[in-house]
Amino acid sequence: MATSIARFSRRGVASSLIRRCFAAEAALATHTDPPKPKLTVSPSPSPDRVKWDYRGQRQIIPLGQWLPKVAVDAYVAPNAVLAGQVTVWDGSSVWNGAVLRGDLNKITLGFCSNVQERCVVHAAWSSPTGLPAETLIDRYVTVGAYSLLRSCTIEPECIIGQHSILMEGSLVETRSILEAGSVVPPGRRIPSGELWGGNPARFIRTLTNEETLEIPKLAVAINHLSGDYFSEFLPYSTVYLEVEKFKRSLGITV
Amino acid sequence: MGTLGRAIYTVGKWIRGSGQALDRVGSLLQGSHRFEEHLSRHRTLMNVFDKSPLVDKDVFVAPSASVLGDVQIGKGSSIWYGCVLRGDVNNISVGSGTNIQDNSLVHVAKTNLGGKVSPTTIGDNVTVGHSAVIHGCTVEDDAFVGMGATLLDGVVVEKHAMVAAGSIVKENTRIPSGEVWGGNPAKFMRKLTDEEIAYISKSAENYINLAHIHAAENSKSFDEIEVERALRKKYARKDEDYDSMLGIVRETPAELILPDNVLPEKTTTRVPTTHY
């Protein structure tokens, strides 16, 4: 029904492209176009597709019954995307551009942990180890920027270097550090208290006691930093005022 | 009762108005450091002068993705969150049923050291893993590019080939059919088993189904989101196990049920370790 109203309004106001954005928003909700037979190889674009949505990308995307849960004092950057079964516990932070996609399995980000910029955390359906394939990032873990985590388990107090890749079923035991750029093959275990790195990840040396004590301190330091960012944002966005102004200028009833 | 309702509504409006006035006072106090929110100017599909993307109607393009310039995307493909497909200097064509997963980058080259420049072509049913970087390459049908892989100019990934995760494939490398290449620089590692080749096609199919769900969710209007939020809150407290103990069967509302083809199959088939 919304589609037909949208189509009428589109025919009436064929000139304004922006109007079509608002109208096509409702039309997009139901893909009622009948499947056309594939005559040529070239794609057939839909006239309803919006090129620009004033809402941007939603930060928290529920899928079915699953709703990502973010603790009240956790900082999740506005361009991070949490989808599906994601739980972000207290004091943790998800930085800019990160994507936590819990659509196939659960993702948990423990207390005071952080997932830094542009990381992708995903979970596969099943892991080659046969264990539950959820991604579990325990407490005080620092996941460096641009890392890719897929169905791995990271035990408490670890540091994952920047641009590292942890594949399905890998286990990083407590108080270990992964160097930047390391690739952990599926099902590998990084033992406790050691420094591993490289592609594929190999043992480098054991960590001294002082280094082990520094690990949770790093996580706490990033927690403090995320507090600064958290306080930059108001509890509720005031962008709705802009939207109302915008709609009024286009003559759309608010 | 009508007038009482109207009175309460008006009082609510006054309170909101005074709240906005207080917000303006607070902004004044913050002075030059205050932050004013603006509408998102991110454009998912964007023309670069006269080159506009041609995206099929069945394609899921995440709102945070950027599809810019001369890009063609075939039916059933999906471009996930945070991807950038930049067809500004040359053209990119993505086949049907392909998925370009989160935070990947597909770009083309106008010139390169070798002097030979080709547009980027990604075939049908290709899986491009998370955060991959594909620059001026040809990826043929049914190939698998592992997550975090970097494919430099002129690389050709043949059908049913796999690029392992985290590998860096040097310029003009040709990855033959049915083999796994990986490492930095990418070298031949092993041959793919038939099971793994079948798994690649299955994974592309799974992603098509997953893309439908994400597409539906991302294109919801504000009212639909609010309705589902209320429904979700209502059904949050109802636990299926507890209900079955009491002999109650509750119906979850249709909006909250995910289609079956996304959930894992009941018969557990052993998933081969594909990436290495």
Side-chain angles (χ1 to χ4, degrees), chain A residues 43-46 49 51-52 55 57-58 62 64-65 97 99 101 103 118 122 125-126 128 148 165 167 199 237 240-241 243, chain B residues 20 37 39-40 42 44 55-57 59 63-64 73 102-103 130-131 166 206-207 214 217 220 232 252 256 262 271 273 275-276:
Chain A
S44 49
S46 154
R49 184 183 287 278
K51 291 195 172 183
W52 171 71
R55 298 176 299 171
Q57 167 78 59
R58 264 191 285 161
Q65 279 195 320
V99 177
R101 207 153 52 90
D103 44 16
R118 279 249 148 202
H122 190 213
W125 272 337
S126 55
L148 309 172
I165 300 179
M167 304 193 59
N199 177 358
S237 155
Y240 72 99
L241 297 166
V243 174
Chain B
Q20 285 179 7
E37 286 206 37
L39 293 173
S40 162
H42 173 82
T44 308
V55 174
D56 192 273
K57 71 169 87 64
V59 170
S64 53
I73 307 182
D102 321 78
N103 275 346
H130 315 291
S131 281
N206 293 338
Y207 260 89
H214 281 258
E217 184 59 45
K220 289 206 170 110
R232 214 170 274 121
T252 31
L256 298 183
V262 186
V271 172
T273 54
H275 299 274
Y276 260 72

Short mmCIF file of all heavy atoms in Angstrom, two decimals, chain A residues 43-46 49 51-52 55 57-58 62 64-65 97 99 101 103 118 122 125-126 128 148 165 167 199 237 240-241 243, chain B residues 20 37 39-40 42 44 55-57 59 63-64 73 102-103 130-131 166 206-207 214 217 220 232 252 256 262 271 273 275-276:
data_model
loop_
_atom_site.label_atom_id
_atom_site.label_comp_id
_atom_site.label_asym_id
_atom_site.label_seq_id
_atom_site.Cartn_x
_atom_site.Cartn_y
_atom_site.Cartn_z
N PRO A 43 22.94 -5.19 -15.71
CA PRO A 43 21.99 -5.11 -14.58
C PRO A 43 20.84 -4.16 -14.87
O PRO A 43 20.97 -3.20 -15.61
CB PRO A 43 22.87 -4.57 -13.45
CG PRO A 43 24.00 -3.92 -14.10
CD PRO A 43 24.23 -4.61 -15.38
N SER A 44 19.70 -4.45 -14.29
CA SER A 44 18.53 -3.60 -14.47
C SER A 44 18.28 -2.88 -13.17
O SER A 44 17.82 -3.47 -12.20
CB SER A 44 17.32 -4.45 -14.86
OG SER A 44 17.21 -5.53 -13.97
N PRO A 45 18.59 -1.61 -13.14
CA PRO A 45 18.45 -0.90 -11.87
C PRO A 45 16.99 -0.65 -11.53
O PRO A 45 16.14 -0.56 -12.40
CB PRO A 45 19.19 0.41 -12.11
CG PRO A 45 19.18 0.59 -13.57
CD PRO A 45 19.11 -0.74 -14.21
N SER A 46 16.72 -0.55 -10.27
CA SER A 46 15.37 -0.28 -9.82
C SER A 46 15.18 1.22 -9.70
O SER A 46 16.03 1.91 -9.17
CB SER A 46 15.16 -0.95 -8.46
OG SER A 46 14.17 -0.28 -7.74
N ARG A 49 15.52 2.75 -6.10
CA ARG A 49 16.71 2.76 -5.26
C ARG A 49 17.13 4.19 -4.95
O ARG A 49 17.29 5.00 -5.84
CB ARG A 49 17.85 2.02 -5.95
CG ARG A 49 19.08 1.92 -5.06
CD ARG A 49 20.20 1.25 -5.78
NE ARG A 49 19.99 -0.18 -5.95
CZ ARG A 49 20.23 -1.08 -5.01
NH1 ARG A 49 20.70 -0.72 -3.85
NH2 ARG A 49 20.02 -2.35 -5.25
N LYS A 51 19.74 7.01 -3.87
CA LYS A 51 21.18 7.20 -3.90
C LYS A 51 21.68 7.84 -2.63
O LYS A 51 22.85 7.77 -2.30
CB LYS A 51 21.54 8.10 -5.08
CG LYS A 51 21.29 7.42 -6.39
CD LYS A 51 21.97 8.16 -7.51
CE LYS A 51 21.89 7.36 -8.78
NZ LYS A 51 22.58 8.02 -9.87
N TRP A 52 20.79 8.51 -1.96
CA TRP A 52 21.19 9.20 -0.75
C TRP A 52 20.05 9.11 0.23
O TRP A 52 18.93 9.46 -0.08
CB TRP A 52 21.50 10.66 -1.09
CG TRP A 52 21.71 11.50 0.12
CD1 TRP A 52 22.77 11.46 0.96
CD2 TRP A 52 20.83 12.52 0.62
NE1 TRP A 52 22.61 12.39 1.94
CE2 TRP A 52 21.43 13.06 1.76
CE3 TRP A 52 19.61 13.02 0.21
CZ2 TRP A 52 20.86 14.07 2.51
CZ3 TRP A 52 19.04 14.04 0.95
CH2 TRP A 52 19.66 14.55 2.09
N ARG A 55 19.12 9.64 6.48
CA ARG A 55 19.34 9.03 7.79
C ARG A 55 20.74 8.45 7.92
O ARG A 55 21.20 8.18 9.02
CB ARG A 55 18.33 7.90 8.01
CG ARG A 55 16.91 8.39 8.01
CD ARG A 55 15.97 7.23 8.14
NE ARG A 55 16.09 6.31 7.05
CZ ARG A 55 15.50 5.12 7.01
NH1 ARG A 55 14.76 4.73 8.02
NH2 ARG A 55 15.66 4.33 5.98
N GLN A 57 23.70 5.65 7.86
CA GLN A 57 23.69 4.25 8.27
C GLN A 57 23.34 4.17 9.74
O GLN A 57 23.94 4.83 10.56
CB GLN A 57 25.08 3.65 8.03
CG GLN A 57 25.32 2.32 8.69
CD GLN A 57 24.66 1.20 7.93
OE1 GLN A 57 24.95 0.98 6.77
NE2 GLN A 57 23.78 0.49 8.59
N ARG A 58 22.39 3.31 10.05
CA ARG A 58 22.05 3.12 11.45
C ARG A 58 23.19 2.44 12.17
O ARG A 58 23.86 1.57 11.62
CB ARG A 58 20.82 2.23 11.56
CG ARG A 58 19.54 2.98 11.69
CD ARG A 58 18.43 2.05 12.05
NE ARG A 58 18.01 1.24 10.94
CZ ARG A 58 17.32 0.11 11.09
NH1 ARG A 58 17.01 -0.31 12.30
NH2 ARG A 58 16.96 -0.58 10.05
N PRO A 62 18.99 -4.24 14.24
CA PRO A 62 18.43 -5.49 14.75
C PRO A 62 18.08 -6.42 13.59
O PRO A 62 17.70 -5.97 12.52
CB PRO A 62 17.16 -5.04 15.48
CG PRO A 62 16.80 -3.74 14.88
CD PRO A 62 18.02 -3.15 14.25
N GLY A 64 15.69 -9.66 12.97
CA GLY A 64 14.72 -10.57 13.59
C GLY A 64 14.58 -10.25 15.05
O GLY A 64 14.31 -9.11 15.44
N GLN A 65 14.78 -11.23 15.89
CA GLN A 65 14.63 -11.01 17.33
C GLN A 65 15.90 -10.51 17.97
O GLN A 65 15.89 -10.08 19.12
CB GLN A 65 14.24 -12.30 18.02
CG GLN A 65 12.78 -12.59 17.90
CD GLN A 65 12.36 -13.66 18.89
OE1 GLN A 65 13.08 -14.62 19.08
NE2 GLN A 65 11.22 -13.48 19.49
N GLY A 97 34.30 3.27 12.28
CA GLY A 97 34.39 2.41 11.10
C GLY A 97 34.39 0.93 11.39
O GLY A 97 34.51 0.12 10.47
N VAL A 99 32.99 -2.78 12.18
CA VAL A 99 31.76 -3.48 11.82
C VAL A 99 31.70 -4.74 12.65
O VAL A 99 32.59 -5.58 12.56
CB VAL A 99 31.74 -3.84 10.31
CG1 VAL A 99 30.48 -4.62 9.98
CG2 VAL A 99 31.81 -2.61 9.47
N ARG A 101 29.46 -7.80 13.05
CA ARG A 101 28.30 -8.37 12.38
C ARG A 101 27.95 -9.70 13.01
O ARG A 101 28.52 -10.73 12.68
CB ARG A 101 28.62 -8.53 10.88
CG ARG A 101 27.42 -8.50 10.03
CD ARG A 101 27.73 -8.02 8.64
NE ARG A 101 28.79 -8.67 7.95
CZ ARG A 101 28.66 -9.73 7.16
NH1 ARG A 101 27.49 -10.29 7.04
NH2 ARG A 101 29.70 -10.22 6.55
N ASP A 103 25.45 -11.69 12.65
CA ASP A 103 24.24 -12.21 12.03
C ASP A 103 24.20 -13.72 12.02
O ASP A 103 23.15 -14.32 12.04
CB ASP A 103 24.05 -11.65 10.62
CG ASP A 103 25.34 -11.64 9.83
OD1 ASP A 103 26.29 -12.32 10.23
OD2 ASP A 103 25.39 -10.94 8.82
N ARG A 118 38.08 0.63 12.27
CA ARG A 118 37.98 -0.13 11.02
C ARG A 118 38.12 -1.64 11.19
O ARG A 118 38.46 -2.34 10.24
CB ARG A 118 39.04 0.35 10.03
CG ARG A 118 38.63 1.59 9.30
CD ARG A 118 38.38 1.29 7.86
NE ARG A 118 37.37 2.12 7.31
CZ ARG A 118 36.67 1.82 6.24
NH1 ARG A 118 36.85 0.69 5.64
NH2 ARG A 118 35.77 2.63 5.79
N HIS A 122 33.34 -10.72 12.90
CA HIS A 122 32.26 -11.50 12.34
C HIS A 122 32.28 -12.85 13.01
O HIS A 122 33.24 -13.23 13.69
CB HIS A 122 32.47 -11.62 10.83
CG HIS A 122 31.28 -12.20 10.13
ND1 HIS A 122 31.39 -13.00 9.01
CD2 HIS A 122 29.96 -12.07 10.38
CE1 HIS A 122 30.19 -13.34 8.63
NE2 HIS A 122 29.31 -12.79 9.41
N TRP A 125 29.07 -19.66 11.00
CA TRP A 125 28.09 -20.57 11.58
C TRP A 125 28.75 -21.62 12.43
O TRP A 125 28.31 -21.96 13.50
CB TRP A 125 27.36 -21.31 10.45
CG TRP A 125 26.20 -20.61 9.96
CD1 TRP A 125 25.46 -19.68 10.63
CD2 TRP A 125 25.61 -20.76 8.70
NE1 TRP A 125 24.45 -19.26 9.84
CE2 TRP A 125 24.50 -19.90 8.66
CE3 TRP A 125 25.89 -21.57 7.60
CZ2 TRP A 125 23.70 -19.81 7.53
CZ3 TRP A 125 25.08 -21.47 6.49
CH2 TRP A 125 24.00 -20.60 6.47
N SER A 126 29.81 -22.20 11.88
CA SER A 126 30.45 -23.27 12.62
C SER A 126 31.95 -23.10 12.49
O SER A 126 32.45 -22.52 11.53
CB SER A 126 30.04 -24.63 12.07
OG SER A 126 30.32 -24.67 10.71
N PRO A 128 35.89 -24.76 12.58
CA PRO A 128 36.53 -26.04 12.26
C PRO A 128 36.90 -26.85 13.50
O PRO A 128 37.11 -28.06 13.41
CB PRO A 128 37.79 -25.64 11.48
CG PRO A 128 37.98 -24.21 11.75
CD PRO A 128 36.64 -23.63 12.05
N LEU A 148 40.87 -8.15 11.72
CA LEU A 148 39.73 -8.92 11.28
C LEU A 148 39.61 -10.12 12.19
O LEU A 148 40.52 -10.92 12.27
CB LEU A 148 39.91 -9.41 9.85
CG LEU A 148 40.30 -8.35 8.84
CD1 LEU A 148 40.64 -9.00 7.54
CD2 LEU A 148 39.17 -7.38 8.65
N ILE A 165 44.84 -10.68 11.64
CA ILE A 165 43.71 -11.45 11.13
C ILE A 165 43.62 -12.72 11.94
O ILE A 165 44.55 -13.53 11.95
CB ILE A 165 43.93 -11.78 9.63
CG1 ILE A 165 44.04 -10.48 8.86
CG2 ILE A 165 42.77 -12.61 9.11
CD1 ILE A 165 44.28 -10.67 7.39
N MET A 167 41.51 -16.11 12.40
CA MET A 167 40.54 -16.86 11.64
C MET A 167 39.73 -17.78 12.52
O MET A 167 39.93 -17.85 13.72
CB MET A 167 41.25 -17.59 10.53
CG MET A 167 42.01 -16.55 9.74
SD MET A 167 42.59 -17.15 8.23
CE MET A 167 41.06 -17.62 7.54
N ASN A 199 52.99 -13.98 9.50
CA ASN A 199 51.95 -14.60 8.66
C ASN A 199 52.47 -15.91 8.13
O ASN A 199 53.29 -15.89 7.22
CB ASN A 199 51.59 -13.63 7.53
CG ASN A 199 50.58 -14.19 6.56
OD1 ASN A 199 50.16 -15.34 6.67
ND2 ASN A 199 50.19 -13.38 5.61
N SER A 237 20.15 12.60 19.95
CA SER A 237 20.57 13.46 18.86
C SER A 237 19.56 14.57 18.62
O SER A 237 18.37 14.40 18.85
CB SER A 237 20.72 12.60 17.61
OG SER A 237 20.56 13.37 16.48
N TYR A 240 16.85 15.72 14.54
CA TYR A 240 15.46 15.75 14.11
C TYR A 240 15.01 17.17 13.80
O TYR A 240 14.12 17.38 12.97
CB TYR A 240 14.56 15.10 15.16
CG TYR A 240 14.35 15.90 16.41
CD1 TYR A 240 13.21 16.67 16.58
CD2 TYR A 240 15.29 15.89 17.43
CE1 TYR A 240 13.02 17.41 17.72
CE2 TYR A 240 15.11 16.62 18.56
CZ TYR A 240 13.97 17.39 18.71
OH TYR A 240 13.80 18.13 19.83
N LEU A 241 15.65 18.15 14.44
CA LEU A 241 15.29 19.54 14.13
C LEU A 241 15.69 19.89 12.70
O LEU A 241 14.94 20.54 11.97
CB LEU A 241 16.00 20.49 15.10
CG LEU A 241 15.62 20.33 16.57
CD1 LEU A 241 16.61 21.06 17.44
CD2 LEU A 241 14.21 20.85 16.80
N VAL A 243 15.94 17.74 10.30
CA VAL A 243 15.04 17.01 9.40
C VAL A 243 13.74 17.76 9.24
O VAL A 243 13.19 17.89 8.15
CB VAL A 243 14.79 15.59 9.94
CG1 VAL A 243 13.76 14.88 9.10
CG2 VAL A 243 16.07 14.81 9.96
N GLN B 20 14.03 22.53 24.15
CA GLN B 20 14.82 22.99 23.00
C GLN B 20 15.42 24.37 23.28
O GLN B 20 16.54 24.66 22.87
CB GLN B 20 13.94 23.04 21.76
CG GLN B 20 13.67 21.67 21.22
CD GLN B 20 12.77 21.71 20.00
OE1 GLN B 20 12.45 22.79 19.49
NE2 GLN B 20 12.35 20.57 19.55
N GLU B 37 24.57 19.14 15.12
CA GLU B 37 24.44 17.96 14.26
C GLU B 37 23.81 18.31 12.94
O GLU B 37 22.92 19.12 12.86
CB GLU B 37 23.59 16.92 14.96
CG GLU B 37 24.33 16.26 16.08
CD GLU B 37 23.81 14.88 16.37
OE1 GLU B 37 23.44 14.18 15.43
OE2 GLU B 37 23.76 14.55 17.54
N LEU B 39 22.49 16.60 9.01
CA LEU B 39 22.04 15.38 8.37
C LEU B 39 23.24 14.68 7.75
O LEU B 39 24.21 15.30 7.36
CB LEU B 39 21.03 15.70 7.28
CG LEU B 39 19.72 16.26 7.77
CD1 LEU B 39 18.88 16.67 6.59
CD2 LEU B 39 18.98 15.24 8.58
N SER B 40 23.11 13.37 7.64
CA SER B 40 24.21 12.61 7.05
C SER B 40 24.32 12.94 5.58
O SER B 40 23.35 12.86 4.84
CB SER B 40 23.94 11.12 7.23
OG SER B 40 24.74 10.40 6.36
N HIS B 42 26.39 11.40 3.64
CA HIS B 42 27.02 10.27 2.98
C HIS B 42 26.15 9.80 1.83
O HIS B 42 24.97 9.54 2.01
CB HIS B 42 27.21 9.13 3.99
CG HIS B 42 27.68 7.88 3.38
ND1 HIS B 42 29.00 7.64 3.11
CD2 HIS B 42 27.01 6.79 2.94
CE1 HIS B 42 29.11 6.46 2.56
NE2 HIS B 42 27.92 5.91 2.43
N THR B 44 25.45 6.96 -0.77
CA THR B 44 25.79 5.56 -1.02
C THR B 44 26.16 5.35 -2.48
O THR B 44 27.20 4.77 -2.80
CB THR B 44 24.61 4.68 -0.64
OG1 THR B 44 24.22 5.01 0.69
CG2 THR B 44 24.97 3.23 -0.70
N VAL B 55 23.38 -0.25 -10.71
CA VAL B 55 23.24 -1.29 -9.70
C VAL B 55 21.90 -1.98 -9.89
O VAL B 55 20.86 -1.33 -9.93
CB VAL B 55 23.33 -0.65 -8.29
CG1 VAL B 55 23.04 -1.66 -7.23
CG2 VAL B 55 24.69 -0.05 -8.10
N ASP B 56 21.92 -3.29 -9.99
CA ASP B 56 20.69 -4.05 -10.22
C ASP B 56 19.75 -3.92 -9.03
O ASP B 56 20.16 -3.64 -7.91
CB ASP B 56 21.04 -5.53 -10.43
CG ASP B 56 19.85 -6.31 -10.95
OD1 ASP B 56 19.06 -6.80 -10.11
OD2 ASP B 56 19.70 -6.42 -12.16
N LYS B 57 18.46 -4.16 -9.28
CA LYS B 57 17.49 -3.93 -8.20
C LYS B 57 17.60 -4.93 -7.08
O LYS B 57 17.17 -4.68 -5.97
CB LYS B 57 16.08 -3.94 -8.77
CG LYS B 57 15.60 -5.31 -9.19
CD LYS B 57 14.13 -5.30 -9.47
CE LYS B 57 13.83 -4.90 -10.90
NZ LYS B 57 14.33 -5.85 -11.90
N VAL B 59 20.30 -6.01 -5.66
CA VAL B 59 21.57 -5.92 -4.97
C VAL B 59 21.38 -5.25 -3.62
O VAL B 59 20.65 -4.27 -3.51
CB VAL B 59 22.57 -5.10 -5.83
CG1 VAL B 59 23.80 -4.78 -5.05
CG2 VAL B 59 22.89 -5.87 -7.08
N PRO B 63 24.01 0.96 3.50
CA PRO B 63 24.01 2.42 3.49
C PRO B 63 25.37 3.03 3.76
O PRO B 63 25.66 4.11 3.26
CB PRO B 63 23.01 2.78 4.59
CG PRO B 63 22.13 1.61 4.70
CD PRO B 63 22.95 0.42 4.38
N SER B 64 26.22 2.34 4.54
CA SER B 64 27.51 2.94 4.81
C SER B 64 28.53 2.62 3.73
O SER B 64 29.66 3.07 3.79
CB SER B 64 28.04 2.49 6.16
OG SER B 64 28.04 1.09 6.23
N ILE B 73 26.91 -3.44 -11.03
CA ILE B 73 26.75 -4.55 -10.11
C ILE B 73 25.57 -5.40 -10.55
O ILE B 73 24.47 -4.89 -10.72
CB ILE B 73 26.53 -4.06 -8.67
CG1 ILE B 73 27.64 -3.09 -8.30
CG2 ILE B 73 26.53 -5.23 -7.71
CD1 ILE B 73 27.54 -2.59 -6.89
N ASP B 102 32.41 -6.73 4.37
CA ASP B 102 32.56 -5.44 5.05
C ASP B 102 33.94 -4.81 4.89
O ASP B 102 34.95 -5.50 4.92
CB ASP B 102 32.33 -5.63 6.56
CG ASP B 102 31.21 -6.60 6.82
OD1 ASP B 102 31.43 -7.81 6.70
OD2 ASP B 102 30.13 -6.14 7.14
N ASN B 103 33.94 -3.51 4.77
CA ASN B 103 35.17 -2.70 4.78
C ASN B 103 36.14 -3.04 3.67
O ASN B 103 37.33 -2.80 3.78
CB ASN B 103 35.90 -2.85 6.13
CG ASN B 103 35.36 -1.90 7.16
OD1 ASN B 103 34.63 -0.97 6.84
ND2 ASN B 103 35.68 -2.12 8.40
N HIS B 130 36.22 -10.01 4.18
CA HIS B 130 36.25 -8.71 4.86
C HIS B 130 37.55 -7.98 4.59
O HIS B 130 38.61 -8.59 4.56
CB HIS B 130 36.16 -8.89 6.38
CG HIS B 130 35.14 -9.87 6.82
ND1 HIS B 130 33.80 -9.63 6.70
CD2 HIS B 130 35.26 -11.07 7.40
CE1 HIS B 130 33.14 -10.66 7.18
NE2 HIS B 130 33.99 -11.55 7.61
N SER B 131 37.47 -6.68 4.46
CA SER B 131 38.65 -5.81 4.36
C SER B 131 39.63 -6.22 3.28
O SER B 131 40.82 -6.03 3.43
CB SER B 131 39.41 -5.80 5.69
OG SER B 131 38.77 -4.96 6.58
N GLY B 166 44.78 -12.64 4.47
CA GLY B 166 45.97 -11.88 4.83
C GLY B 166 47.07 -11.91 3.80
O GLY B 166 48.18 -11.45 4.07
N ASN B 206 24.87 -18.61 0.52
CA ASN B 206 24.47 -18.20 1.86
C ASN B 206 24.45 -16.69 1.99
O ASN B 206 23.57 -16.11 2.61
CB ASN B 206 25.44 -18.74 2.92
CG ASN B 206 25.38 -20.24 3.04
OD1 ASN B 206 24.38 -20.84 2.67
ND2 ASN B 206 26.43 -20.84 3.55
N TYR B 207 25.45 -16.07 1.36
CA TYR B 207 25.52 -14.63 1.47
C TYR B 207 24.40 -13.94 0.73
O TYR B 207 23.96 -12.86 1.12
CB TYR B 207 26.89 -14.11 1.01
CG TYR B 207 27.77 -13.81 2.17
CD1 TYR B 207 28.59 -14.80 2.70
CD2 TYR B 207 27.73 -12.58 2.80
CE1 TYR B 207 29.36 -14.54 3.80
CE2 TYR B 207 28.50 -12.32 3.90
CZ TYR B 207 29.32 -13.30 4.41
OH TYR B 207 30.08 -13.06 5.50
N HIS B 214 19.53 -8.33 5.49
CA HIS B 214 20.11 -7.03 5.80
C HIS B 214 19.50 -5.93 4.95
O HIS B 214 19.28 -4.82 5.41
CB HIS B 214 21.63 -7.07 5.61
CG HIS B 214 22.35 -7.72 6.74
ND1 HIS B 214 23.02 -7.00 7.70
CD2 HIS B 214 22.51 -9.01 7.06
CE1 HIS B 214 23.56 -7.83 8.57
NE2 HIS B 214 23.28 -9.06 8.21
N GLU B 217 16.17 -5.03 6.38
CA GLU B 217 16.30 -4.31 7.64
C GLU B 217 16.76 -2.88 7.43
O GLU B 217 16.27 -1.95 8.07
CB GLU B 217 17.30 -5.05 8.53
CG GLU B 217 17.45 -4.46 9.90
CD GLU B 217 16.16 -4.43 10.67
OE1 GLU B 217 15.43 -5.44 10.66
OE2 GLU B 217 15.85 -3.37 11.27
N LYS B 220 14.12 -0.14 6.13
CA LYS B 220 12.86 0.06 6.84
C LYS B 220 12.65 1.55 7.11
O LYS B 220 13.57 2.29 7.38
CB LYS B 220 12.90 -0.67 8.18
CG LYS B 220 12.83 -2.16 8.00
CD LYS B 220 12.24 -2.82 9.22
CE LYS B 220 11.96 -4.27 8.88
NZ LYS B 220 12.84 -5.18 9.55
N ARG B 232 9.71 -6.19 19.91
CA ARG B 232 10.87 -6.89 20.46
C ARG B 232 10.91 -6.77 21.96
O ARG B 232 11.21 -7.71 22.68
CB ARG B 232 12.14 -6.32 19.85
CG ARG B 232 13.22 -7.34 19.66
CD ARG B 232 14.34 -6.78 18.85
NE ARG B 232 14.08 -6.92 17.44
CZ ARG B 232 14.02 -5.91 16.60
NH1 ARG B 232 14.18 -4.70 17.01
NH2 ARG B 232 13.80 -6.14 15.33
N THR B 252 5.69 -15.99 17.98
CA THR B 252 6.48 -14.78 17.77
C THR B 252 5.92 -14.07 16.55
O THR B 252 5.59 -14.71 15.56
CB THR B 252 7.96 -15.10 17.51
OG1 THR B 252 8.02 -16.35 16.86
CG2 THR B 252 8.75 -15.13 18.79
N LEU B 256 9.48 -10.65 13.47
CA LEU B 256 10.68 -10.96 14.23
C LEU B 256 11.27 -12.32 13.86
O LEU B 256 12.22 -12.76 14.48
CB LEU B 256 10.38 -10.95 15.74
CG LEU B 256 9.93 -9.62 16.29
CD1 LEU B 256 9.73 -9.72 17.78
CD2 LEU B 256 10.93 -8.54 15.99
N VAL B 262 18.71 -18.72 6.44
CA VAL B 262 19.88 -18.05 6.99
C VAL B 262 20.43 -18.80 8.18
O VAL B 262 21.62 -18.78 8.46
CB VAL B 262 19.52 -16.62 7.44
CG1 VAL B 262 20.76 -15.89 7.88
CG2 VAL B 262 18.88 -15.89 6.30
N VAL B 271 32.29 -28.66 8.24
CA VAL B 271 32.75 -27.52 7.43
C VAL B 271 34.24 -27.67 7.21
O VAL B 271 35.00 -27.76 8.16
CB VAL B 271 32.46 -26.20 8.16
CG1 VAL B 271 33.10 -25.04 7.42
CG2 VAL B 271 30.97 -26.01 8.27
N THR B 273 38.10 -26.83 6.56
CA THR B 273 38.89 -25.63 6.86
C THR B 273 39.36 -25.08 5.53
O THR B 273 40.28 -25.58 4.90
CB THR B 273 40.11 -25.97 7.72
OG1 THR B 273 40.83 -27.00 7.05
CG2 THR B 273 39.69 -26.46 9.07
N HIS B 275 40.35 -21.89 4.62
CA HIS B 275 41.20 -20.74 4.36
C HIS B 275 42.65 -21.06 4.28
O HIS B 275 43.44 -20.29 3.84
CB HIS B 275 40.96 -19.68 5.44
CG HIS B 275 39.56 -19.22 5.42
ND1 HIS B 275 39.13 -18.22 4.59
CD2 HIS B 275 38.47 -19.65 6.07
CE1 HIS B 275 37.84 -18.05 4.77
NE2 HIS B 275 37.42 -18.89 5.66
N TYR B 276 43.07 -22.17 4.78
CA TYR B 276 44.46 -22.55 4.60
C TYR B 276 44.50 -23.85 3.89
O TYR B 276 45.34 -24.61 3.92
CB TYR B 276 45.16 -22.57 5.96
CG TYR B 276 45.95 -21.31 6.16
CD1 TYR B 276 45.28 -20.11 6.40
CD2 TYR B 276 47.32 -21.30 6.05
CE1 TYR B 276 45.99 -18.95 6.56
CE2 TYR B 276 48.03 -20.14 6.22
CZ TYR B 276 47.37 -18.95 6.48
OH TYR B 276 48.06 -17.79 6.64
#
